Amino acid sequence: MATFYIKVPLLVLGQGARRFHVAASLNAKAKVAMSRFEPNSSINYDKLRSNIDIVRKRLNRPLTLSEKIVYGHLDNPAGQEIVRGRTYLRLRPDRVAMQDATAQMAMLQFISSGLPKVAVPSTIHCDHLIEAQTGGAQDLQRAKEINQEVYNFLASAGAKYGVGFWKPGSGIIHQIILENYAYPGVMLIGTDSHTPNGGGLGCICIGVGGADAVDVMAGIPWELKCPNVIGVKLTGTLSGWTSPKDVILKVAGILTVKGGTGAIVEYHGPGVDSISCTGMATICNMGAEIGATTSVFPYNHRMRTYLEKTGRGEIAAQANENQDLLVPDSGCHYDQIIEINLSELKPHINGPFTPDLAHPVSDIGSVAEKNGWPLDVKVGLIGSCTNSSYEDMGRAASLAKQALDKGLKCKAQFTVTPGSEQIRATIERDGYAKLLRDVGGVVLANACGPCIGQWDRRDVKKGEKNTIVTSFNRNFTARNDANPATHAFVTSPEIVTALAIAGTLKFNPETDFLTAPNGEKFKLVPPTGDELPACDFDPGQDTYQHPPADGSGLRVDVNPQSNRLQLLEPFDRWNGNDLEDLQVLIKVKGKCTTDHISAAGPWLKFRGHLDNISNNLLIGAVNTENDAVNKIRNHLTGEFGGVPDVARYYKKHNVSWVVGGDENYGEGSSREHAALEPRHLGGRAIIVKSFARIHETNLKKQGLLPLTFSNPADYDKIRPDDKISIVGLKSFAPGKPLKAVIKHSDGSSETIELNHTFNETQSEWFQAGSALNRMKELQK
């Protein structure tokens, strides 16, 4: 394995790096914001308009907003076949964004491609590797020390290949994008499932795996199955305790975690104007939890104001001139329509263990009692990429002030995660942070923290039943604190704050009273908060490193002895034959998210080292054979062992294997490690009832076969000790099912039909062994 070295320590954490934040004046800050739009990322509404006009003439019908932006980025608008839900579109996104946990593998793959520089503007954001322990400053410093090797790699790779680098402490990727790179009509892909956050600023922002990002950075057209479009018509007006978060909590309850699969959710209607730009971003962000490709809002005055306030008035002026491109056509067709009256919408809280189990806040106490869920709220957590805007913090602070005025503090522990350095600096200046601290809160680093399991929680023991309430987006089992007995509920920051003050799920802030230390009974007044700061944003500390004009002379540091980073070796090509006698590694029971397949939390430190991260393969999945987690039978030895241990044993003995799974397999994060790991340890196919979109694509990219039962009941035919042969691969073609011969240990066998969604290009990935292998073949 090759070794590369670079000496650029000042680029990473030093004070000598080029400064891009100028806090002296709004005019200076506006120039700063515009400077991040590199020359080849300039706004080109003329090109968007030209493409839309071509497609409109061809389709001869009104277009939805999402169709305008998506089709406006077609590589070949004149020749592209366009059929919703069926054809694959070849697209030219405007830019790429990567968070540090997924950027490691994405950049390792880009290095393997042999290309000299990225073809589109791209950025890396350090937000995932900072563990919440004691408080923002201490946790950030500790993360810099622990992760110095990884941060150096990402900074040096960014410098060499032309990728901007946002240092640790800068904030969460999605907030940084909203503040700097998102604008109405842009198409952006990001290596994080919550990239759709940018839809709050009228963008099409889509979460992808690292291999997809490599395609775009390499200048290759990016493939996406032509999305269906779900329309959500909003009427009425938000008021009182109801917040933008309640819109998506309600939608999640309607559509469930897979109801948005293969579709873009497009919000429209008169109710849109009552929601702030950052509120719209909240709604789009959590759209990932319904499986949606992305979500988007039409351009309006709330977006214009946000652009102006974040130093992008010139962009707002151009958007105003092209507003017809940034709203849906009258009479456009949606595949499904949901109507929500915001005036009637009540505050919601969803969970536990799944983000689509929706309850009105007024009901959650009785529902929890009925189901035996712990009523006492142990910890309330606000912030995260979903809800960490200035408005969110202001509304939470207004409740904190009411409690403090009556002499009350939070009964539960309370944490606050600012979304960016700009948000942190501004809420410190404006007094919100002090109010949140005074009521009992701990302000954490500008990072993902507990939302992704980066939380050194010590107030309960593992296995102890308890309840936490968060303003996060995802609440899968053990996600936040690695404790499978933690009942996590997601709701708005204001409801989290109220419940943290009251200390119980039985508290309904709309009707119930709190008791002050002097015995006085009082109700909380509905929260209030400014949409944007009156005195402009304070950008805070400089946290951005721009790539040099020419990085070709730089080299990237990957030490072969590292346990954090590992250069990639190409996967083996398909040998041209059917896959015979694949051993069933595990037949998974029930929900299997990417957290189950490749856990985060303490495993994040190995995201740049494929062999080490593979030691968490499917350790959270439930085995149908014994209802146990990470305990499967090794059919070569007859003994039970951990899933990765057995997979490694099979690989060592040249036994290829297959996984069986249930519905919506791979829902959740965009992490491609959930596809890389099974490929690395000898897996050849994943056979399930249905897939989540991103995970299915990630599996294809790495040369695996994601297959679905033609008859979902055939899932029951697979036994844990079966061997499966996948036949028909020599004539593998789009739309043509494959056969699986299931060989039981008693000597009997059954043949079933398996479906797939491969197109011709994707079939070439399988044949080459991976999409990256195919890219390198085409360069020869």
Side-chain angles (χ1 to χ4, degrees), residues 174-236:
H174 311 303
Q175 184 68 25
I176 297 295
I177 289 171
L178 200 72
E179 292 173 354
N180 295 277
Y181 302 121
Y183 63 86
V186 76
M187 173 174 274
L188 178 150
I189 66 164
T191 60
D192 189 279
S193 59
H194 294 106
T195 300
N197 188 81
L201 202 42
C203 320
I204 291 295
C205 298
I206 300 176
V208 300
D212 274 341
V214 171
D215 280 355
V216 177
M217 290 191 294
I220 297 171
W222 173 61
E223 285 196 339
L224 176 72
K225 181 174 276 190
C226 188
N228 290 314
V229 187
I230 297 173
V232 179
K233 183 179 181 181
L234 302 179
T235 60

Side-chain angles (χ1 to χ4, degrees), residues 1 100-106 108-109 129 149-150 153 558-569 571 598 603-617 648 672-673 676-677 680-681:
M1 193 171 289
D100 52 354
T102 51
Q104 296 170 63
M105 199 58 69
L108 286 166
Q109 290 177 87
L129 301 180
E149 178 187 12
V150 171
F153 165 71
V558 179
N559 189 323
Q561 276 72 52
S562 172
N563 70 350
R564 298 286 301 269
L565 297 166
Q566 180 187 46
L567 291 174
L568 297 173
E569 297 289 344
F571 292 130
S598 177
W603 291 95
L604 284 169
K605 60 176 163 289
F606 298 124
R607 285 283 182 87
H609 196 295
L610 179 54
D611 195 56
N612 284 344
I613 192 70
S614 294
N615 288 322
N616 75 1
L617 175 65
R648 286 187 185 277
E672 66 180 336
H673 301 77
L676 283 160
E677 292 175 34
H680 175 63
L681 293 184

Side-chain angles (χ1 to χ4, degrees), residues 463-474:
E464 180 182 341
K465 285 180 67 173
N466 73 100
T467 284
I468 64 173
V469 291
T470 82
S471 69
F472 305 162
N473 42 44
R474 200 166 277 164

Side-chain angles (χ1 to χ4, degrees), residues 13 16 233 334 417 442 495 543 616 647 650 689 735 769:
L13 304 175
K233 183 179 181 181
Y334 296 103
T417 304
V442 175
I495 294 296
T543 54
N616 75 1
Y650 288 164
K689 293 181 181 177

